[in-house]
Structure formats: structure tokens, C-alpha cells
Amino acid sequence: ILFDRSRKHRACDARKIKNKKKGPLLNDQSPMGVLQEKLASFYRSRWLVFVASMWLQSWAGIGYLFGSISPVIKSSLNYNQKQLAMLGVAKDLGDAVGFITGVLCEKLPIWGALLVGAALNLLGYGWVWLVVTSQVPVLPLWAMCVLIFVGTNGETYFNTVSLVSCVQNFPKSRGPVVGILKGFAGLSGAILTQIYALFHSPDHASLIFMVAVGPSLVAIGLMFVVRPVGGHKQVRSSDGKSFTFVYGVCLLLAAYLSGVMVVQDLVEVSEIVVKIFTAVLLIILVVPIIIPISLNFGPDQWHPEEETLLPEPQNKGPGKSNMDSDEVILSELEDEKPKEVDLLPASERQKRIAHLQTRLLQAAAVGAVRVKRRRGPHRGEDFTLTQALIKADFWLLFISMIMGSGSGLTVIDNLGQISQSLGYGNAHIFVSMISIWNFLGRVGGGYISELVVRDHAFPRPTALAVFQLIMTVGHVFIGMGWPGSMYIGTLLVGLGYGAHWAIVPATASELFGLRNFGALYNFITLSNPVGTLVFSSLIASTIYDSEAEKQHPFHHNIRETLKCDGSVCFFLTSMIMAGFCVVGAGLCMVLVFRTRIVYANLYGKTSSKRFKKLSQASDAVSSVESQTRDNFAQNKRRK
């Protein structure tokens, strides 16, 4: 209460100082001047950037539509499964190779990076559409791989700009921010599929045209809105309500798309009904704009000038790199420091480390010991990419990401062939469904992992291990091919795969800092092509073609594509991927064991359990005080 009152007084002082500096001539209190000020504040709002990033990401996940466009490419160009898998690997490489993206984002302005991404997307998939529709000569396989790579590489610009901008704007809420943004990227497959149904085109190649044009237009339209905004270091009291509102919109969007797909799959709907479905979808996507409007034009809008008078938070959180807190500047201090020091409260830990450091410096002054500066940062500080690459924690996170996201993306890329082998005629329903489960996995993964670290101060990879075990069950269901198991398998694999892209980037930012987060994130995304190269190109495609040849032993037409029928086509592949997911969960638990002290230091002071203990202690003190006052009053009356 005292803090709220003092904040209000400081806010009033800030407005007085601002008005005093402006003077009577510049202090325009006319309605037009107030409106201009509010519009400028609205444009600088970090929530406007977040909502615009959600819109950009909802069109940016073009790689997740590969399962829908791959049958068209396969039939038009007479590719076999191994050739189609090579296009899938090229797509995953384009989606993951972001080193050039990181360099250009540092050299170019944010709008320039988005413009480059839009141009790459239009060039790559636009040319693929021309080849598939026979408007240009057919290109060899390597050239098609280059076009798929270039087109999908535009997505890295959209992802990098959105994530870096919003993580810098919301440094205290990186788990929900990353989960929601990556969730909308995963949901883009279902959104684009629904918009594609609006055109009701019998030509399936037109979906490739929409993939080439749609994301490019959205990126160009938002390139001056999505950017880091300065001066937002404080945690607002309205942030919790705003994130709750966004989570509600996410759940509503997922439930609505699920219902629409079920209706369209079971009932033949008219063109008017499809237009109504699409219009409602677009309205739900626009709804989050209410947050920045209410914060800037409502009665309780926040003035940027008030923020400079607020005190900085005491705990600097993950990613700090200063030498003032509990920084260890001498390498010998790590050997001399007892292990129980890391478990002490922050103030006591700083005193113990400072005392031990002083003793080492005194010993060095008399020549009793030689000290040297420590090399490299510690966990939780700002790492460069080269410094992170020599750390075992980074490779544990990266390898577990390969096992989990690589196997999940293999299922997503081969959904068309998996559904056809199990007797399902329409693969679009599974592509849309796994996009929704992917979306819920990313949103839910960010929310659940945030509960794990905030409420219990457990390492965030604990949630990643749980989701990898969920993926294991999903792979088993897909491999068995039981009636209806395809629906359960896509549900579990989509949830697990989506959770990876909410948990792993947030974990990397906590362990290796925010300063070089763009480079670290783009390196982690290499796990997708590495995983699909192993699981899809080497394992799944080889087993599929082998089983297809067994089913067609007298087939001699090389140009005709072989098809495999039955659960045997992907049974062995699914079991192998399930085993690797179990190994990935084990690696996550090793990372949990190695980083438990780091997370205890980062979040132990702010966990809800600690607050509960403090509140219980304060309640006990209050009860003792009230009992003492009652006893004193009774003794006074007796006297």
C-alpha cells in the first residue's frame, strides 16, 4: 500500500516536472494535443508491438504447411518419397539457418530485415508455384531444394525480429512471451488452411501461391510496428491481467478452429458458411488489440515519464552481466567457496563471497597465492555464441532438442503420407489439427514452465522432459495404426513438439543471457534440419520405400511413384523416434541436475512457496502481537 501511494506521488511529481519543463507555451492541453500525445504513446506501446508480432507470427509459420503442399509437388513433378524428403530437409534448413539473419538484423534496421524476409519468401515459393503450375520449365531436384530453402528462410527473419523485439520489451515475462509467439507461428498452418478454404479453389497448387504472397504482404504491412521500444524495464501491475486475456484469446482461437475443422470435415458446408467462419477467425485474431488501446486510451493509462522515477527492481533476473552482485571475479574462488554458499540467501551469499574474496586478495598481496581473473561468464550471464558452444549445458539442451523437435517435425512433414498409408483420404484435417495442438503446446509449454520456475524454482528443462515423454506415447500411437490412433498420436506429438519451442528458447536466455539471444536462438533452430535429416531422410524415407517395394515386387515403371499401405509403413520409424524421445528426456534431467542451483538463485527469492512462507510467518507474528495486546489489556483491567 505504501509503495502504491508513493508511486502515485512520484507519478504526480513526474507530470509536474514534465509540464514545468515544457512551459506554458509548449504545454498543449487542448483535445487535439492530448490525442496526439496518446497516439504517440500508443505507437510506442510494447503491447502494440506484442500484438503485431502475434499477427506476424500467425502468418509466418509457412513451413508447417509443407505437409499440405508436398502431395501436390510429389504428383506434379513425379517425385518418390526420398526425393520429397530431400525437399523437406531443404525446408527445415531454410527454417533453421539464421546466421545471415542474425548478422543482417544487427546491420539493418528492423523494417529492413522484415523487408528482406518478405522478398525471400515471395521469390522462393513464388517460383515453386510457377514450376508446379507448368508456367516455367521444370527444374532439377537440387534447384527445387534451393527454392524451398530460400522461401522458407524468409520465415527466420519474421521469427527473429518478433522474438528479439518482444523478449527485450518483456524481459521479466520471457516464458509466456516466447510461448505465445511461437504458438501463433505453429497455428499459422490451420489459419492459412482456413483462409485457403475461403477461395474454394479446386486447384491445390493455389495454396502454394497463397504461401508465397500472404506472409510477404503481412510482413510489409507491419515492418514499422514490430521493433524494440525503449524505457520498459518495470513490471506493470496490469501485465498479469493482460497475459491472462491473451491466454484466453489463444484458447478461444484453438477451440474455434477445432470446431470449424470438425464441422467442415463431417458436413458439406456452403460458400457463405465458409466466409462466415473465416470472418469470425479474423475477428478473434484482431481482438488482442484491445490491450494496448485500453492501456493507452483508458482512464488508468501509464505515462512513460513516470517510469524514470520508479526504483529499479532489486533482483536483476537472468541475463545479468555486471560485476557488482554475487559475481566471482577470481577463478580460485570457485575452488575455495563451500558448496553450501550457493544455497544461502542473496544478501548472506554476497557477504560470504566478498569475505572470501578479500582473504584471497590479502593472500595474493603477500605472495602466498597467485590469483588470476576468471575466464568467461557464468551461467545466467551474457554469453557469446562461441562461449556457449564450449559449455556442456548448451550441448545437452541442443541434443535433447534434436531428439524431440526432430522427431516431431518428421511426423509433421510426413503427415500426408502417414494418413494415406493408414487409409485417411484427407490429409488437410491432420495438418490443421497438429497445427492447433502445436499452438496449444507452445502456449501451454510457456505457461507450465513459467509455473515450474516461478512457483517452485525448479529448472525449466523439467517441463521439457515431461513433454518429451508425452511425445513418446504419441509416436507409439501413430506407429501402431489402431482405429482412431492417428487423432491421439497427432494430439500428443503436436503438444510435445510445440512445447519445445516455448521452453528451449526461454531456457537458453536464462542460462546464457539476452545480449546475444538472436544468435543463440538461430543456432538452436539448427536442431530441426539435423533431426529431420536423420529421422526423415535417412530412416523414415528408407523404410517407407523398402516397404513399398515389398508390397509391389513386380513394379518396373521407374517414373510411377510407389505407395505403401498399412501401419507397417511407419511402424519401425515411430518406434525408433519414441526411443530417442526417451533418451532426450534423460538428457533433460541431467541438465536439470546441473542447473538446479542456478534456478534456485534466479527464482528462489520470488517463488510463490517463499511468499507463502513469508505470509505464514507474518500471520504468526500478527497473531502473537494481537495475543500480547489482549493479555496486556486484560492485566490492565484487572489492576
Side-chain angles (χ1 to χ4, degrees):
I1 294 173
L2 291 175
F3 175 76
D4 290 338
R5 291 178 178 175
S6 60
R7 187 180 68 178
K8 291 180 180 178
H9 289 308
R10 284 193 296 270
C12 294
D13 294 339
R15 286 193 290 269
K16 292 179 181 178
I17 294 172
K18 177 188 174 184
N19 295 336
K20 187 176 180 180
K21 287 182 178 180
K22 286 185 175 181
L25 295 177
L26 298 178
N27 187 11
D28 187 7
Q29 295 297 328
S30 63
M32 186 58 66
V34 173
L35 180 60
Q36 290 178 355
E37 183 180 355
K38 287 188 175 182
L39 288 176
S41 177
F42 176 74
Y43 180 70
R44 295 192 302 267
S45 172
R46 58 177 185 162
W47 279 101
L48 176 63
V49 176
F50 185 49
V51 173
S53 300
M54 290 163 53
W55 295 340
L56 179 61
Q57 291 292 93
S58 64
W59 285 78
I62 52 182
Y64 298 107
L65 278 175
F66 188 78
S68 294
I69 65 177
S70 59
V72 181
I73 299 175
K74 184 178 180 179
S75 60
S76 300
L77 303 179
N78 294 323
Y79 285 164
N80 58 25
Q81 188 63 27
K82 185 167 290 188
Q83 291 173 322
L84 193 65
M86 293 303 297
L87 290 180
V89 172
K91 182 265 300 181
D92 297 330
L93 281 172
D95 194 15
V97 177
F99 297 109
I100 301 177
T101 305
V103 173
L104 288 181
C105 287
E106 293 179 359
K107 303 296 183 181
L108 296 176
I110 293 297
W111 63 267
L114 286 178
L115 191 61
V116 172
L120 292 176
N121 178 71
L122 182 61
L123 174 65
Y125 280 102
W127 206 322
V128 170
W129 174 73
L130 293 175
V131 172
V132 171
T133 54
S134 301
Q135 300 186 39
V136 295
V138 177
L139 299 177
L141 178 62
W142 66 267
M144 293 296 295
C145 291
V146 171
L147 289 178
I148 294 290
F149 172 86
V150 171
T152 314
N153 191 248
E155 183 181 344
T156 62
Y157 291 84
F158 307 151
N159 288 331
T160 302
V161 168
S162 300
L163 287 176
V164 172
S165 299
C166 292
V167 168
Q168 291 182 8
N169 293 339
F170 296 88
K172 302 295 183 180
S173 304
R174 63 191 75 187
V177 165
V178 174
I180 291 171
L181 290 180
K182 297 300 292 182
F184 272 90
L187 196 63
S188 60
I191 295 174
L192 292 177
T193 301
Q194 181 60 35
I195 296 176
Y196 169 71
L198 178 65
F199 299 102
H200 198 68
S201 174
D203 182 16
H204 295 289
S206 58
L207 180 60
I208 304 176
F209 177 78
M210 190 179 67
V211 168
V213 175
S216 301
L217 293 178
V218 174
I220 293 174
L222 298 175
M223 63 183 182
F224 294 110
V225 179
V226 179
R227 74 218 185 277
V229 290
H232 296 288
K233 300 179 181 179
Q234 306 298 330
V235 178
R236 309 287 194 275
S237 59
S238 61
D239 285 351
K241 295 180 181 179
S242 300
F243 278 116
T244 302
F245 181 78
V246 173
Y247 278 125
V249 172
C250 293
L251 295 177
L252 176 62
L253 183 60
Y256 175 76
L257 282 174
S258 300
V260 167
M261 285 187 300
V262 170
V263 171
Q264 290 179 346
D265 189 51
L266 299 178
V267 182
E268 186 70 24
V269 296
S270 63
E271 186 176 353
I272 298 177
V273 176
V274 173
K275 290 181 179 179
I276 295 175
F277 285 162
T278 308
V280 174
L281 170 63
L282 296 178
I283 291 173
I284 295 176
L285 288 175
V286 175
V287 163
I289 197 64
I290 294 175
I291 298 175
I293 291 177
S294 61
L295 290 178
N296 289 275
F297 295 95
D300 298 327
Q301 67 267 21
W302 187 275
H303 296 276
E305 292 82 6
E306 300 173 12
E307 189 174 90
T308 56
L309 297 181
L310 286 175
E312 289 290 334
Q314 295 299 322
N315 52 335
K316 297 185 179 296
K320 62 179 186 282
S321 60
N322 57 332
M323 303 285 288
D324 300 328
S325 56
D326 32 291
E327 176 91 23
V328 180
I329 64 171
L330 302 177
S331 60
E332 285 75 8
L333 194 53
E334 284 294 326
D335 301 328
E336 300 293 335
K337 183 179 66 175
K339 293 184 178 180
E340 58 269 15
V341 171
D342 290 327
L343 301 177
L344 294 174
S347 58
E348 184 65 25
R349 184 171 63 251
Q350 293 177 11
K351 293 179 181 178
R352 295 284 295 274
I353 290 177
H355 177 68
L356 184 58
Q357 199 160 261
T358 302
R359 291 175 57 187
L360 279 174
L361 291 174
Q362 291 175 353
V366 298
V369 65
R370 296 180 61 186
V371 299
K372 57 184 179 181
R373 296 280 177 176
R374 65 177 179 86
R375 296 180 179 179
H378 287 168
R379 296 187 187 101
E381 300 174 1
D382 290 320
F383 283 72
T384 63
L385 180 60
T386 54
Q387 290 172 336
L389 288 177
I390 61 175
K391 296 297 181 180
D393 296 339
F394 186 82
W395 288 106
L396 285 172
L397 190 65
F398 183 75
I399 295 174
S400 64
M401 187 72 174
I402 291 176
M403 309 243 176
S405 70
S407 62
L409 193 58
T410 300
V411 173
I412 294 174
D413 290 345
N414 294 276
L415 268 180
Q417 288 70 39
I418 295 174
S419 60
Q420 289 177 1
S421 66
L422 295 179
Y424 297 96
N426 187 8
H428 293 291
I429 181 67
F430 293 108
V431 173
S432 300
M433 285 181 63
I434 204 168
S435 296
I436 293 175
W437 308 137
N438 184 13
F439 167 73
L440 292 177
R442 297 183 183 211
V443 176
Y447 179 75
I448 293 173
S449 65
E450 198 71 14
L451 292 180
V452 168
V453 298
R454 293 288 180 184
D455 292 355
H456 305 284
F458 288 161
R460 199 180 293 267
T462 306
L464 184 63
V466 174
F467 279 104
Q468 286 189 336
L469 294 178
I470 292 175
M471 286 188 68
T472 302
V473 181
H475 287 308
V476 172
F477 269 92
I478 292 176
M480 289 301 179
W482 297 320
S485 63
M486 189 68 181
Y487 295 94
I488 302 176
T490 52
L491 165 65
L492 298 179
V493 172
L495 289 175
Y497 173 78
H500 279 70
W501 291 104
I503 298 173
V504 173
T507 304
S509 67
E510 288 165 340
L511 296 180
F512 306 106
L514 283 174
R515 181 175 299 172
N516 300 289
F517 176 68
L520 294 170
Y521 168 76
N522 283 310
F523 187 89
I524 288 174
T525 55
L526 286 175
S527 60
N528 267 358
V530 173
T532 52
L533 178 64
V534 175
F535 294 123
S536 184
S537 297
L538 300 180
I539 298 177
S541 61
T542 303
I543 296 175
Y544 181 91
D545 290 337
S546 176
E547 294 295 335
E549 291 176 358
K550 291 179 182 179
Q551 294 179 3
H552 303 279
F554 302 105
H555 179 78
H556 299 290
N557 190 356
I558 300 177
R559 292 188 176 183
E560 185 178 351
T561 304
L562 291 176
K563 290 185 179 181
C564 180
D565 297 321
S567 61
V568 69
C569 303
F570 288 93
F571 171 77
L572 183 57
T573 301
S574 299
M575 296 301 109
I576 292 174
M577 292 191 296
F580 276 108
C581 284
V582 174
V583 175
L587 294 178
C588 288
M589 295 311 299
V590 174
L591 184 61
V592 167
F593 179 78
R594 291 173 58 90
T595 59
R596 66 192 189 282
I597 296 179
V598 178
Y599 278 90
N601 293 337
L602 293 178
Y603 295 103
K605 296 175 286 185
T606 60
S607 65
S608 63
K609 283 187 174 181
R610 186 177 180 88
F611 282 128
K612 289 180 181 177
K613 291 180 180 179
L614 290 175
S615 63
Q616 290 174 359
S618 63
D619 292 341
V621 171
S622 300
S623 63
V624 170
E625 291 178 350
S626 63
Q627 187 176 2
T628 303
R629 286 194 297 267
D630 294 340
N631 293 335
F632 179 77
Q634 290 178 2
N635 293 332
K636 189 174 182 180
R637 285 195 297 269
R638 288 175 184 175
K639 290 181 179 180

